[in-house]
Amino acid sequence: MSDFPTKARVVIIGGGVVGASSLYHLAKKGWTDCVLLEKNELTAGSTWHAAGNVPTFSTSWAIMNMQRYSTELYARLGEEVDYPMNYHQSGSIRLAHSKERMQEFERACAMGRYQGIEMEMWTPEQAKDQYPFLETHDLEGVLFDPSDGDIDPAQLTQALAKGARDMGQKILRFTPATGVTQKEDGTWTVHTEKGDIDCDYVVNAAGYYAQRVGEWFKPFGGRTVPAMVMSHQYLLTDEVPEIEAWSKENGGKKLPLLRDVDISYYLRQEKNGFNLGPYEPNCKGHWMTEDDPMPEDFSFQLWNDDLDRIEDIVTDAMERVPLMATSGVGRVINGPIPYAPDGLPLIGPMPGVQNAFEAHTFTFGIAQGGGAGKVLAEWIVDGFTEWDMWAVDPRRYTDYTDQDYCNQKGLEVYGNEYAMHFPHHEWPAARDKKLSPVHAKVKELGGVMGAYNGWERANWFAQPGDDVSEESTHTWGRSGPWEQRIKEECEAVRDHCGVLDLPGFSRFMVKGEGAAEALRGLATGGLPKVGRMNLIYVSDDRGRILTEMSCIRLGDDEFMMITAATAQWHDRDILINAMPASVTVDDVTTTRDTLIVTGPKSREILSGLTDADLSTGWLTHQSATVAGQPAYLIRVSFAGELGWEVHALNEHMPAIYGAIIDAGAKPFGMYALNSLRIEKGYRAWKGDLSTDFSLLEGGLGRFVKLDKPQDFPGKAAILNEKQQGAKKQFVTLLVDAKDCDAPYMSCIWHDGQIVGETTSGAWGYRINASVALGMVRPDLAVPGTELEVEIYGEKCRAVVQEDQPLWDAENERLRA
C-alpha cells in the first residue's frame, strides 16, 4: 500500500465514537499527523447499536463537564465539518418518587447551573404540560434539562471522522492492529496486518475489546484492563398516531426524553413511536465464562432478544405512559456495552506504561464521546486536562480489580444504573478483596466496613443493637445509627485515646544517589532533614495541585513517601517518572499496615508498650518496638491531637493492635477521622486537593519555595499567579446546616450569584458545628463574611472563618 502511513505522532486503536473524537480533537490541538486503526468499519462495536441519548445530568462534576461539552460540540459539529447530522435537543424530564430523589435532583441542578446548564426543578403539573401523555399522580417532582436529547451515533462518528480527515488525519478501516512493541526510547511500533506504524504515543480506544488490546501492553508495565461486558436491551415500538399528531401540533417538536430513574428506564420518542431502554436489576453479563468466550470479531452483531428480563419495567412504563401500550414492539436491540467496576469510563494515562493512553469502557459513550476526545487530546498534547478528571483516570483502579471483581461490580452497577449514591452507603458486591492483618479483630469490635482502593477499613464501630442494614444508609442526612457512634469516637480521641487501623496507605521507598535532588526538582517546597518529615506538594505545569505526599527522610538519599490509598498508582507514576536511573522506587504498600494512635492519653498508652522515645517533637520519626514487635513511629496525627502513626510489617501488627486496644484505646473509624480532620482544615486528596485548583488558591503558599534554584513543575505559573493574584481563595466556613452537611461541589452564593464551591463538608463533633471547606472569590474570603451554601436545594447561611484551624488553633494539643 503506497499510502500506508509508517509513521505517526499518535496511533489510536479503535474506530468508535470515542476513537474518532480523540482523533478529531488531536487535530484541533494541532497534531494532524495521527492515525486511527479500525479492524472493521467505523462504529462496528458498541457505537452502531447505541441508542444515542445525550444527557448532561450527573452528580460527578467531571462527568457533567464532559457531557456538557459534548452537547455544546454536537450542536455545532454538523455545520463545522459540513456533514448532515440528526441531533435533537428535545430536553428531558427526570421523575422523582421520593424526597431523597428530589434532593439528588436539586444537587445536580445546582451543579448544572454552575456549569451554565439551565436545569430547572418542575412540579408534576409542569411536566404534564410539556408531556401530556404522562401519569403524574404519584410523583414528588421533576428535573428538567433543556440540553438533553438524542443523536444518530453513526452520523456523529462519521462527522468527527470527516472533520479529522479534513485536518490531515488518517483513518485506516479494515486494518486490525495485531500488537505493539515499545522501543528503548519509549516510543512505539504498532503492528497491523498491513504493516507496522512507528509512533510517539498509542491509545487503546478499543471499546469492549479494550481488555484484549490491553494484554499487549503487559510486557511493558501494563496490567489487565478492569472491565466486563453487559447485555443491554432497548426496544422500539411501532408508530403511534397520537405522537405524530402531537409533533405536528407543536411545530415538529419531539416529546421530552423521559427518565423514570426510580424504576430504572428511559423512554423517548423515536420517529413517531417509542424507544424504551431499561436497566434491569435482573441483568446479564456476557463473555464472562469459558462456555461463553468473547469472539474474535462481533462487528455489527447483536444477541437474541431476552424480553423476560425486562418485562416488569416494560409494564411499569406502560402504566406511566399508557399511550405506549397501544402499539406493538417493532424491534428489540440487544447488544454489548462495556462496564468498568464503577460504571465510568477509563480515560487518561495507562497505568505503569510510558507514552500509552486509554479511552475505553464507555457505558454512555455517545453522551461522553465529545468530552472524552477533548480530555484525551489535552492529556496527550499538554500533559494535563482543563478539568480535574480523576473520576475517569485509569489509575483509580489498582491490583484488586481481578475479573471476579469486575464481573460482580459490572452487574451491580448496571442493575443500579440510576441509583442514588448516598454518603454513608457502601455497595456490597465484590468486597473483601484486600484485608488488613487485623481485619478479623476490627470486625469483632464492631467495625462497619468500607472499601478504599480495595482495602477494607472500618467506617464506624457499631454497638450491639445498632442498625447496620444497607437500607439504613439510604439518606443524604448525617443522622443515622452511625451518628452517635461517630460522636463517641471523636470524643474518645478528644478526651482520651483512639486507635484507627489504616491498611492501604500508599508507601514508596525512594533511595539511591540523586534521590534528594530529584525530589527537590519535583516538589514545590523543601525537603525535611534526616530524622524529620514534612508534607510536600507536586504541581502540574499550571501550578495546580497534582498530589500531596508525606516525606519521611531516612538518610541523605533515602526517603519513605506516604500518600493516599487511592493515589497508589497515580503517585507511583509521578515518582518513577521524576527519578534518575540511579534511584529506585519500591512500592511497599501491601507489606505493611498502619495504626493511628491519637488523643491526649496516647503517650500514656504507648509508654507502657514501647521502648520509643515519646518525648521527641512533632514531625519526627524513629524505629522502635511496640508490644515486643519491630515498628516505625511517626509523630503526626491527621486527627489534630497528640498522636503517632505506628507502621509495622503485616505479621507484626496483630500483636501491636491487640496490645493498644487492651491498654484502653478506643477504636475509631474513617467517618470520625473525616470529622476530626475537617475541624483542623486538613485537606483531602481529590476533594480539597485537585487540579481544579492551584496551590495558591488552595492556601498552600507556605509549601512553595520560589527562591529555590530547582525549576520544579509549575514554578513559572505559580510565580505569575503570585504577581497577578489568584482567582479563587480557600476558606473554612461554619454553616447553619440542617439535616445534611455540604457535599463536594456544593454551590456557594453571595447576593444571588454563585461565587464558589465547597470541596468537602462534615459535622465537627469537637466544635459541635457543620464545617465546609471551599473556594470563593478572593474579595469574599474575609473572616466574618456571610455567604450561603446550597445543600441539596436549600441555601444555608455560612460564615467565613479565620485562616486557622477551628479546633486547637495554635496546635498546642498536637505538639503536646
Side-chain angles (χ1 to χ4, degrees):
M1 292 178 64
S2 59
D3 59 344
F4 183 85
T6 58
K7 291 185 181 302
R9 192 174 284 191
V10 182
V11 169
I12 298 168
I13 300 169
V17 66
V18 174
S21 178
S22 300
L23 190 72
Y24 172 81
H25 282 90
L26 283 166
K28 293 289 279 186
K29 289 189 72 68
W31 285 25
T32 55
D33 50 351
C34 305
V35 172
L36 183 147
L37 302 174
E38 167 53 46
K39 68 180 176 183
N40 197 284
E41 181 57 89
L42 294 181
T43 78
S46 292
T47 299
W48 81 273
H49 63 76
N53 298 330
V54 189
T56 60
F57 179 95
S58 178
T59 52
S60 162
W61 185 255
I63 295 294
M64 183 179 277
N65 257 322
M66 199 162 66
Q67 293 177 169
R68 172 187 55 77
Y69 174 84
S70 290
T71 65
E72 294 167 355
L73 171 68
Y74 300 167
R76 66 175 188 267
L77 183 65
E79 186 176 337
E80 191 172 287
V81 303
D82 191 24
Y83 192 92
M85 281 170 40
N86 290 317
Y87 180 33
H88 311 105
Q89 285 189 287
S90 59
S92 73
I93 52 180
R94 286 176 184 259
L95 311 182
H97 294 244
S98 67
K99 172 185 171 240
E100 288 77 18
R101 184 65 79 174
M102 285 292 283
Q103 288 175 289
E104 181 200 47
F105 285 179
E106 291 278 14
R107 170 159 161 67
C109 196
M111 289 170 57
R113 276 196 298 266
Y114 199 178
Q115 292 192 13
I117 307 166
E118 295 302 321
M119 294 181 179
E120 298 174 24
M121 297 300 295
W122 281 1
T123 64
E125 292 73 27
Q126 286 174 294
K128 181 87 170 177
D129 288 343
Q130 297 300 316
Y131 201 118
F133 312 114
L134 180 68
E135 291 295 317
T136 61
H137 59 280
D138 58 346
L139 300 179
E140 284 280 329
V142 168
L143 172 67
F144 175 67
D145 178 357
S147 57
D148 205 337
D150 64 272
I151 197 166
D152 183 306
Q155 290 178 345
L156 170 62
T157 306
Q158 295 294 349
L160 290 164
K162 180 180 185 298
R165 285 192 189 102
D166 288 349
M167 289 183 278
Q169 310 282 54
K170 284 191 165 54
I171 296 174
L172 304 182
R173 298 170 301 140
F174 303 102
T175 308
T178 57
V180 297
T181 302
Q182 190 167 39
K183 302 177 203 174
E184 285 189 10
D185 63 358
T187 62
W188 295 90
T189 299
V190 179
H191 310 292
T192 81
E193 291 182 352
K194 298 177 180 177
D196 290 347
I197 306 174
D198 292 328
C199 59
D200 298 327
Y201 303 95
V202 63
V203 177
N204 179 358
Y208 53 72
Y209 279 97
Q211 193 176 77
R212 187 168 286 177
V213 170
E215 295 298 299
W216 301 343
F217 294 87
K218 277 188 170 178
F220 312 107
R223 86 301 183 211
T224 298
V225 168
M228 55 86 69
V229 175
M230 289 298 299
S231 154
H232 177 59
Q233 299 182 96
Y234 64 91
L235 57 89
L236 305 174
T237 73
D238 296 329
E239 293 206 350
V240 180
E242 290 87 342
I243 291 181
E244 183 177 15
W246 184 90
S247 287
K248 282 183 178 175
E249 286 172 22
N250 288 273
K253 264 191 1 180
K254 290 179 72 170
L255 286 164
L257 200 156
L258 175 72
R259 288 187 179 83
D260 196 335
V261 289
D262 290 312
I263 307 302
S264 194
Y265 66 86
Y266 67 82
L267 182 68
R268 86 164 195 241
Q269 180 179 338
E270 185 77 27
K271 296 181 179 175
N272 290 317
F274 286 107
N275 174 335
L276 173 69
Y279 290 90
E280 68 280 10
N282 177 32
C283 52
K284 183 177 182 181
H286 266 290
W287 306 333
M288 292 166 55
T289 58
E290 289 184 8
D291 60 352
D292 181 28
M294 178 182 279
E296 281 302 314
D297 191 354
F298 200 68
S299 299
F300 296 112
Q301 297 182 59
L302 297 171
W303 293 303
N304 294 329
D305 308 348
D306 190 3
L307 291 178
D308 289 347
R309 288 201 334 249
I310 61 175
E311 183 178 359
D312 290 348
I313 293 181
V314 173
T315 300
D316 195 281
M318 288 177 173
E319 292 173 356
R320 182 62 57 196
V321 182
L323 190 61
M324 188 188 162
T326 65
S327 66
V329 175
R331 189 180 179 203
V332 178
I333 311 294
N334 183 10
I337 297 183
Y339 264 74
D342 60 3
L344 302 183
L346 279 71
I347 315 170
M350 188 180 293
V353 185
Q354 187 182 6
N355 298 331
F357 290 82
E358 298 186 316
H360 57 68
T361 319
F362 283 79
T363 300
F364 298 101
I366 306 305
Q368 296 165 2
K374 171 190 187 295
V375 166
L376 186 77
E378 290 170 348
W379 232 318
I380 294 173
V381 176
D382 302 325
F384 48 77
T385 53
E386 178 183 354
W387 319 301
D388 189 278
M389 295 306 297
W390 178 245
V392 299
D393 193 314
R395 296 167 295 185
R396 71 189 188 273
Y397 293 118
T398 61
D399 56 355
Y400 62 95
T401 56
D402 58 19
Q403 199 58 49
D404 169 71
Y405 179 89
C406 295
N407 292 344
Q408 286 194 52
K409 295 304 284 187
L411 290 162
E412 181 180 64
V413 171
Y414 181 97
N416 295 279
E417 188 61 68
Y418 293 122
M420 291 174 275
H421 295 270
F422 297 110
H424 295 98
H425 178 247
E426 294 282 341
W427 293 98
R431 297 296 295 274
D432 293 350
K433 287 298 179 182
K434 286 188 165 186
L435 302 181
S436 151
V438 298
H439 178 77
K441 180 67 174 176
V442 170
K443 292 274 287 183
E444 179 191 319
L445 293 167
V448 180
M449 311 306 285
Y452 297 81
N453 193 31
W455 291 93
E456 294 291 321
R457 293 176 177 173
N459 282 328
W460 61 286
F461 284 82
Q463 298 297 320
D466 287 348
D467 183 359
V468 295
S469 67
E470 195 177 345
E471 290 73 26
S472 72
T473 67
H474 291 174
T475 173
W476 302 108
R478 82 178 69 85
S479 180
W482 52 82
E483 186 179 21
Q484 178 62 24
R485 303 300 170 227
I486 297 170
K487 180 175 185 287
E488 292 165 357
E489 292 168 23
C490 290
E491 288 170 348
V493 171
R494 179 194 69 191
D495 299 334
H496 190 260
C497 178
V499 58
L500 170 64
D501 178 46
L502 206 63
F505 244 159
S506 301
R507 289 180 193 79
F508 305 95
M509 305 303 295
V510 179
K511 61 190 295 188
E513 185 179 351
E517 188 56 30
L519 284 172
R520 288 189 194 100
L522 174 67
T524 61
L527 303 182
K529 297 176 182 177
V530 175
R532 303 281 299 178
M533 68 162 293
N534 65 6
L535 283 178
I536 67 166
Y537 289 86
V538 180
S539 75
D540 65 17
D541 288 344
R542 298 166 296 178
R544 297 194 186 180
I545 306 164
L546 198 57
T547 195
E548 170 197 78
M549 302 186 200
S550 293
C551 178
I552 293 95
R553 193 164 191 174
L554 307 172
D556 287 345
D557 270 326
E558 184 177 357
F559 301 83
M560 178 164 60
M561 310 298 291
I562 301 179
T563 184
T566 50
Q568 184 182 1
W569 282 8
H570 178 276
D571 286 4
R572 176 199 66 183
D573 285 0
I574 289 174
L575 287 170
I576 288 174
N577 292 338
M579 294 301 132
S582 57
V583 176
T584 59
V585 177
D586 292 326
D587 186 340
V588 296
T589 300
T590 59
T591 63
R592 293 161 172 79
D593 191 22
T594 302
L595 304 178
I596 293 179
V597 184
T598 186
K601 300 292 185 184
S602 57
R603 181 179 282 122
E604 185 179 313
I605 280 182
L606 283 172
S607 64
L609 303 173
T610 182
D611 59 358
D613 179 1
L614 300 179
S615 67
T616 58
W618 190 41
L619 303 181
T620 59
H621 52 90
Q622 60 186 302
S623 294
T625 61
V626 180
Q629 307 297 317
Y632 208 81
L633 269 66
I634 301 175
R635 175 76 197 279
V636 70
S637 170
F638 199 52
E641 300 283 352
L642 171 69
W644 284 261
E645 288 177 4
V646 180
H647 298 251
L649 292 171
N650 291 336
E651 58 266 31
H652 299 140
M653 194 55 89
I656 296 172
Y657 186 68
I660 291 171
I661 292 287
D662 291 344
K666 180 180 176 68
F668 69 102
M670 296 299 291
Y671 292 163
L673 183 65
N674 187 54
S675 170
L676 295 162
R677 70 93 188 170
I678 206 166
E679 291 173 311
K680 294 293 293 181
Y682 295 159
R683 280 66 149 176
W685 190 67
K686 285 309 177 191
D688 315 298
L689 303 172
S690 83
T691 57
D692 281 330
F693 311 115
S694 72
L695 270 85
L696 298 185
E697 288 174 339
L700 301 171
R702 65 189 183 280
F703 296 100
V704 178
K705 292 182 67 174
L706 291 170
D707 58 349
K708 70 177 186 176
Q710 293 81 12
D711 188 23
F712 57 84
K715 186 175 184 178
I718 294 172
L719 181 60
N720 182 63
E721 185 181 7
K722 193 166 186 177
Q723 293 166 345
Q724 301 294 323
K727 294 179 180 176
K728 293 182 179 180
Q729 192 166 324
F730 178 86
V731 290
T732 301
L733 302 169
L734 284 183
V735 186
D736 292 346
K738 306 264 174 56
D739 298 331
C740 308
D741 300 306
Y744 172 68
M745 285 294 176
S746 298
C747 292
I748 301 175
W749 293 78
H750 180 68
D751 284 346
Q753 289 186 315
I754 297 174
V755 294
E757 65 275 358
T758 63
T759 54
S760 57
W763 188 268
Y765 289 92
R766 289 177 297 196
I767 65 168
N768 198 34
S770 185
V771 184
L773 308 182
M775 299 284 180
V776 298
R777 235 172 45 202
D779 61 297
L780 299 172
V782 179
T785 302
E786 291 198 12
L787 305 169
E788 290 178 302
V789 174
E790 185 172 356
I791 302 177
Y792 302 113
E794 188 168 6
K795 290 180 183 175
C796 302
R797 177 178 172 270
V799 179
V800 177
Q801 302 300 297
E802 296 283 350
D803 186 17
Q804 62 186 26
L806 296 171
W807 175 253
D808 185 26
E810 302 301 321
N811 290 326
E812 292 171 357
R813 297 168 68 93
L814 195 65
R815 300 173 188 269

